[in-house]
Amino acid sequence: FFELFPELKTKSDPAYHHLTLLNLLSFRTKLMRWTYTNPEPYPSTITGSEEQQRLQFIQWVLAQKPNQTAGEVNFSNPAYVMAGLMLEKSSGQSYKQLVNNLGSQFDIAFDFGPPNLNDSLQQPWGHNAELFPERPEENVKLSWLLPAGNINVSLPDFCKFMQLQLKGLAGREKILNKSEFVFLFEGLPAYALGWFSATDGNNQAFAYHVGNPGTFLSKVYVHKNRGKAFVLFSNCQSEAADLGLDVLYTELKKRYLH
């Protein structure tokens, strides 16, 4: 990281000086766990364009003490923000440009922020556990976390994205070779680059990830050896919604994996 941003090194905690892109994408760091509900840093202290704000936010993060309770895998949103900064610096493009370029390549319409931000009539509204809807408003702190997941996409287009993963895992996609796709899913134990790995009751390996930003819930399961993926979306984040998606996944497995 600091090879691309040497100007940030002197004011950063030495515990972070070794961080690489692989460390960041696999959550092998001791960075603080930060989300948009944290009070600091205050938005009034972070200024400029979206890209400049993310850089200032990370400058603040790197000045904080390491998370001494972190295990081998430490789920820290700032890690992916730092990875996004590295992509922007090395490509000369903004993160939004990079995402949209990928979408254009595969006919996938990615967007940013909550789905109802630009279309509150046709797009779904998210709901919290008390079923209060999320209003279509910009959240500056979520914008700081853009590379950590402040992206929305329709269910059909996300299925296209997962079909891309399945093709890659089978060696039928050119954007990365098969071994690179496999490394994304299985390259490190427990959690690789965006994917958890596990085995089911029949000792069959699968990968999965969960998205839970507060008012939406998504669960994705990839059964590489069967060439299948299951995508489950809910516009409510709650224990009941979580249980409901688990019930759906169990039923889908009965239908399509047995």
Side-chain angles (χ1 to χ4, degrees):
F1 177 82
F2 289 102
E3 289 181 9
L4 290 174
F5 296 95
E7 70 278 11
L8 301 185
K9 193 169 186 178
T10 55
K11 293 185 178 180
S12 299
D13 192 288
Y16 309 134
H17 287 180
H18 70 286
L19 290 177
T20 66
L21 185 62
L22 179 59
N23 295 143
L24 298 170
L25 293 179
S26 64
F27 286 134
R28 265 66 173 186
T29 80
K30 291 191 179 298
L31 292 165
M32 68 184 301
R33 294 187 175 189
W34 191 96
T35 189
Y36 62 94
T37 57
N38 286 45
E40 295 184 276
Y42 299 107
S44 60
T45 66
I46 306 289
T47 60
S49 66
E50 287 188 11
E51 293 78 16
Q52 290 170 334
Q53 288 185 41
R54 283 197 292 276
L55 183 62
Q56 292 171 43
F57 166 64
I58 288 302
Q59 190 171 10
W60 178 85
V61 168
L62 291 171
Q64 309 307 306
K65 293 297 182 183
N67 179 2
Q68 299 296 347
T69 64
E72 181 183 359
V73 180
N74 175 45
F75 299 106
S76 168
N77 286 321
Y80 269 64
V81 181
M82 291 173 66
L85 289 173
M86 293 179 73
L87 292 176
E88 289 180 324
K89 189 68 173 286
S90 59
S91 69
Q93 299 182 68
S94 72
Y95 191 78
K96 287 184 176 180
Q97 287 176 318
L98 292 169
V99 171
N100 285 327
N101 289 345
L102 178 68
S104 297
Q105 187 174 349
F106 295 99
D107 192 28
I108 297 173
F110 294 109
D111 205 351
F112 308 95
N116 63 352
L117 183 62
N118 297 318
D119 186 353
S120 62
L121 296 179
Q122 299 296 323
Q123 295 301 319
W125 290 44
H127 299 75
N128 64 17
E130 288 73 41
L131 298 183
F132 288 114
E134 180 182 11
R135 297 182 62 82
E137 299 173 342
E138 289 274 9
N139 184 321
V140 65
K141 290 192 174 183
L142 275 175
S143 295
W144 297 347
L145 294 179
L146 176 64
N150 193 27
I151 296 175
N152 73 76
V153 65
S154 70
L155 182 55
D157 273 2
F158 193 78
C159 288
K160 287 184 188 176
F161 183 72
M162 292 314 302
Q163 288 169 344
L164 165 65
Q165 312 303 312
L166 291 173
K167 289 178 181 177
L169 289 168
R172 294 186 287 111
E173 182 51 61
K174 295 181 179 179
I175 190 170
L176 297 172
N177 63 42
K178 181 177 179 178
S179 63
E180 290 169 332
F181 269 102
V182 171
F183 187 80
L184 294 177
F185 284 80
E186 304 173 356
L188 294 168
Y191 186 89
L193 281 73
W195 295 97
F196 295 92
S197 56
T199 54
D200 62 19
N202 297 317
N203 204 33
Q204 296 296 309
F206 67 97
Y208 70 96
H209 198 77
V210 177
N212 49 1
T215 57
F216 286 86
L217 183 63
S218 62
K219 293 190 171 189
V220 184
Y221 301 88
V222 179
H223 294 258
K224 180 190 71 173
N225 297 333
R226 302 295 296 275
K228 289 183 171 64
F230 300 92
V231 177
L232 305 169
F233 281 6
S234 169
N235 66 330
C236 175
Q237 183 176 323
S238 66
E239 290 185 11
D242 189 53
L243 177 60
L245 295 188
D246 287 345
V247 170
L248 284 172
Y249 176 51
T250 299
E251 183 61 29
L252 289 168
K253 285 193 295 181
K254 290 178 183 177
R255 293 189 185 187
Y256 298 104
L257 291 182
H258 299 293

